[in-house]
Every structure is written in structure tokens, then in C-alpha cells.
Amino acid sequence: SFHMAASILPVLLPTLGLVRVPARANAAGRAGVLLGIPDVPYADSYKQAELSALWGALKKCYGSEAAAREAIARNNQIMCPVYATPALLTETKAALVGLVGRDEALEIMAMNPAVLTCGAKELAAADPAEVRSAAKTRQLLDRFVTPEGLTVAVIIVLLLGVVRLASAPPV
């Protein structure tokens, strides 16, 4: 029903990576920021050492702190120890470079930072055209699928349903 959908969407959409989870202030997040680690909403759930290791790996993968920060701004789940480890990030980047070359790998990583969580083995076996297409699709979704846009879409769908029910012949 509507109430069930309204209660599950805020949890489901960030999990699927369709919307960004906003950073929130917390003690661990503030400590990380003091150490130069970008604030992420789940920082208080993990050890500072885990987040610091991921941050170091991301800076190496992206080649600069600015590019790594931009990647986290696009998809903060790449800083979540549940989804990523330093080894996973660096090995996947190496596989991506092997698949499409260094420059295009950096472009793909900028469009879809989550590509670094795919795994080297899986990425090495992937079709380069599919990897490019997925990155471009993700970039489009990030640009146009916002919480506000999803809210409008859900309201439109619900209104269309109400109109359809109201215009249906009585049973």
C-alpha cells in the first residue's frame, strides 16, 4: 500500500544507489573530517582506521584528493567498509585500466565511482562497451534521479492511479 511504499523508499533507494545519502554530523564523522577524511553518514558505524584506509586507497585510485572527494560526493558508498576494501578498490581499478586504458578508466570512475566495487575478476571479464554504457547510465541517473525528482514521479504515479480508479465504471 501507499504507507508501506512511503516507509520503504527512503531505505531502499539509497541502498540501490539511486539517491545519495546526505552526510550527517556525528562524533566519528567530525573526527574523520579533522583527519582529512570526508564525512560520510555511516562513519560512526566503522573504525576510523577502516575509513582512513579506504580514503587512502581512493586518493591513490583517483590520483588526487580532489578527484577522490568528487567521487565520494557522487556515491558515498565507496567509502563504506561493507561495500569496499582498499584491496578491492585498487585491484578493480587495475582491472579497469587493463580493460579500457588509464584515461578512459578515470573517465568511467568519474561517471560511476561504484565501478570500483565490482571486483577485478568480474570487471576483467566484462565487455568494455557494457562498462562504458553502465557508467553513462549511472551518470544520467545521478543527474536526473534526485530525491525531489523521485518524489514528483511517485506523486504523479499515485495521482494517475487515483484518476484511473475514479474513472473506472462502478462494479
Side-chain angles (χ1 to χ4, degrees), residues 8-9 15 33 41 57 66 81 84 89 91 94 125 129-130 147 152 157 162:
I8 198 168
L9 282 177
T15 303
V33 170
L89 298 174
E91 291 167 7
E130 288 179 14
V152 170
V157 168
V162 169

mmCIF file of all heavy atoms in Angstrom, residues 8-9 15 33 41 57 66 81 84 89 91 94 125 129-130 147 152 157 162:
data_model
loop_
_atom_site.group_PDB
_atom_site.id
_atom_site.type_symbol
_atom_site.label_atom_id
_atom_site.label_comp_id
_atom_site.label_asym_id
_atom_site.label_seq_id
_atom_site.Cartn_x
_atom_site.Cartn_y
_atom_site.Cartn_z
ATOM 1 N N ILE A 8 9.304 2.357 2.933
ATOM 2 C CA ILE A 8 10.432 1.581 2.434
ATOM 3 C C ILE A 8 11.310 2.362 1.453
ATOM 4 O O ILE A 8 12.507 2.131 1.375
ATOM 5 C CB ILE A 8 9.967 0.247 1.804
ATOM 6 C CG1 ILE A 8 11.142 -0.705 1.701
ATOM 7 C CG2 ILE A 8 9.322 0.461 0.473
ATOM 8 C CD1 ILE A 8 10.779 -2.116 1.380
ATOM 9 N N LEU A 9 10.754 3.322 0.720
ATOM 10 C CA LEU A 9 11.524 4.066 -0.274
ATOM 11 C C LEU A 9 12.744 4.768 0.310
ATOM 12 O O LEU A 9 13.823 4.691 -0.271
ATOM 13 C CB LEU A 9 10.639 5.057 -1.025
ATOM 14 C CG LEU A 9 9.765 4.440 -2.111
ATOM 15 C CD1 LEU A 9 8.869 5.500 -2.736
ATOM 16 C CD2 LEU A 9 10.589 3.754 -3.163
ATOM 17 N N THR A 15 20.094 2.378 -0.780
ATOM 18 C CA THR A 15 20.730 1.070 -0.846
ATOM 19 C C THR A 15 20.997 0.676 -2.287
ATOM 20 O O THR A 15 22.036 0.100 -2.606
ATOM 21 C CB THR A 15 19.836 0.009 -0.169
ATOM 22 O OG1 THR A 15 19.598 0.429 1.176
ATOM 23 C CG2 THR A 15 20.483 -1.353 -0.181
ATOM 24 N N VAL A 33 36.786 14.110 9.678
ATOM 25 C CA VAL A 33 36.979 15.363 8.962
ATOM 26 C C VAL A 33 38.238 16.057 9.465
ATOM 27 O O VAL A 33 39.013 16.612 8.693
ATOM 28 C CB VAL A 33 35.734 16.274 9.091
ATOM 29 C CG1 VAL A 33 36.021 17.660 8.555
ATOM 30 C CG2 VAL A 33 34.559 15.647 8.355
ATOM 31 N N PRO A 41 27.783 9.477 6.019
ATOM 32 C CA PRO A 41 26.707 9.330 7.001
ATOM 33 C C PRO A 41 26.854 8.154 7.950
ATOM 34 O O PRO A 41 26.271 8.146 9.008
ATOM 35 C CB PRO A 41 25.452 9.189 6.148
ATOM 36 C CG PRO A 41 25.922 8.795 4.808
ATOM 37 C CD PRO A 41 27.297 9.363 4.661
ATOM 38 N N ALA A 57 43.202 4.641 -0.200
ATOM 39 C CA ALA A 57 43.091 3.880 -1.439
ATOM 40 C C ALA A 57 42.368 4.676 -2.521
ATOM 41 O O ALA A 57 42.768 4.660 -3.691
ATOM 42 C CB ALA A 57 42.373 2.555 -1.180
ATOM 43 N N ALA A 66 41.200 15.822 -4.650
ATOM 44 C CA ALA A 66 40.013 16.488 -5.205
ATOM 45 C C ALA A 66 39.140 15.505 -5.988
ATOM 46 O O ALA A 66 37.915 15.491 -5.846
ATOM 47 C CB ALA A 66 40.425 17.660 -6.088
ATOM 48 N N PRO A 81 32.940 0.438 4.427
ATOM 49 C CA PRO A 81 33.646 -0.845 4.528
ATOM 50 C C PRO A 81 32.798 -2.070 4.214
ATOM 51 O O PRO A 81 33.341 -3.130 3.921
ATOM 52 C CB PRO A 81 34.118 -0.868 5.986
ATOM 53 C CG PRO A 81 34.245 0.574 6.352
ATOM 54 C CD PRO A 81 33.097 1.247 5.631
ATOM 55 N N ALA A 84 33.316 -1.928 0.264
ATOM 56 C CA ALA A 84 34.640 -1.746 -0.321
ATOM 57 C C ALA A 84 35.750 -2.009 0.691
ATOM 58 O O ALA A 84 35.567 -1.816 1.890
ATOM 59 C CB ALA A 84 34.766 -0.318 -0.850
ATOM 60 N N LEU A 89 39.243 -1.886 -4.127
ATOM 61 C CA LEU A 89 39.298 -0.662 -4.928
ATOM 62 C C LEU A 89 40.506 -0.659 -5.861
ATOM 63 O O LEU A 89 40.371 -0.396 -7.061
ATOM 64 C CB LEU A 89 39.343 0.570 -4.015
ATOM 65 C CG LEU A 89 38.136 0.791 -3.108
ATOM 66 C CD1 LEU A 89 38.393 1.964 -2.164
ATOM 67 C CD2 LEU A 89 36.870 1.002 -3.897
ATOM 68 N N GLU A 91 42.531 -3.206 -6.822
ATOM 69 C CA GLU A 91 42.533 -4.319 -7.778
ATOM 70 C C GLU A 91 41.505 -4.087 -8.889
ATOM 71 O O GLU A 91 41.770 -4.387 -10.062
ATOM 72 C CB GLU A 91 42.244 -5.638 -7.057
ATOM 73 C CG GLU A 91 43.378 -6.077 -6.143
ATOM 74 C CD GLU A 91 42.982 -7.198 -5.198
ATOM 75 O OE1 GLU A 91 41.865 -7.756 -5.313
ATOM 76 O OE2 GLU A 91 43.818 -7.528 -4.318
ATOM 77 N N ALA A 94 42.861 -1.520 -11.314
ATOM 78 C CA ALA A 94 43.858 -2.136 -12.197
ATOM 79 C C ALA A 94 43.180 -2.941 -13.306
ATOM 80 O O ALA A 94 43.593 -2.879 -14.469
ATOM 81 C CB ALA A 94 44.805 -3.020 -11.388
ATOM 82 N N ALA A 125 36.407 -9.658 -16.946
ATOM 83 C CA ALA A 125 35.619 -10.494 -17.856
ATOM 84 C C ALA A 125 34.504 -9.717 -18.557
ATOM 85 O O ALA A 125 33.823 -10.258 -19.420
ATOM 86 C CB ALA A 125 35.022 -11.675 -17.083
ATOM 87 N N ALA A 129 32.314 -2.177 -23.741
ATOM 88 C CA ALA A 129 31.162 -1.360 -24.155
ATOM 89 C C ALA A 129 30.079 -1.356 -23.074
ATOM 90 O O ALA A 129 29.446 -0.322 -22.827
ATOM 91 C CB ALA A 129 30.589 -1.870 -25.473
ATOM 92 N N GLU A 130 29.879 -2.500 -22.411
ATOM 93 C CA GLU A 130 28.882 -2.568 -21.337
ATOM 94 C C GLU A 130 29.314 -1.744 -20.132
ATOM 95 O O GLU A 130 28.490 -1.093 -19.489
ATOM 96 C CB GLU A 130 28.643 -4.016 -20.924
ATOM 97 C CG GLU A 130 27.874 -4.818 -21.950
ATOM 98 C CD GLU A 130 27.678 -6.267 -21.529
ATOM 99 O OE1 GLU A 130 27.902 -6.597 -20.338
ATOM 100 O OE2 GLU A 130 27.309 -7.066 -22.394
ATOM 101 N N PRO A 147 16.179 13.059 -5.144
ATOM 102 C CA PRO A 147 15.056 12.824 -4.226
ATOM 103 C C PRO A 147 13.823 13.638 -4.611
ATOM 104 O O PRO A 147 12.706 13.140 -4.548
ATOM 105 C CB PRO A 147 15.609 13.273 -2.871
ATOM 106 C CG PRO A 147 17.080 13.084 -2.989
ATOM 107 C CD PRO A 147 17.409 13.386 -4.426
ATOM 108 N N VAL A 152 8.352 13.679 -7.066
ATOM 109 C CA VAL A 152 7.413 14.117 -8.104
ATOM 110 C C VAL A 152 6.909 12.912 -8.895
ATOM 111 O O VAL A 152 5.702 12.789 -9.161
ATOM 112 C CB VAL A 152 8.070 15.160 -9.034
ATOM 113 C CG1 VAL A 152 7.205 15.434 -10.250
ATOM 114 C CG2 VAL A 152 8.337 16.449 -8.260
ATOM 115 N N VAL A 157 2.551 9.121 -10.302
ATOM 116 C CA VAL A 157 2.062 7.743 -10.427
ATOM 117 C C VAL A 157 0.852 7.523 -9.525
ATOM 118 O O VAL A 157 -0.146 6.927 -9.935
ATOM 119 C CB VAL A 157 3.186 6.726 -10.120
ATOM 120 C CG1 VAL A 157 2.645 5.329 -9.947
ATOM 121 C CG2 VAL A 157 4.237 6.770 -11.213
ATOM 122 N N VAL A 162 -5.120 7.149 -8.816
ATOM 123 C CA VAL A 162 -6.374 7.664 -8.252
ATOM 124 C C VAL A 162 -7.335 8.048 -9.378
ATOM 125 O O VAL A 162 -8.523 7.730 -9.326
ATOM 126 C CB VAL A 162 -6.091 8.872 -7.318
ATOM 127 C CG1 VAL A 162 -7.379 9.591 -6.946
ATOM 128 C CG2 VAL A 162 -5.352 8.410 -6.081
#
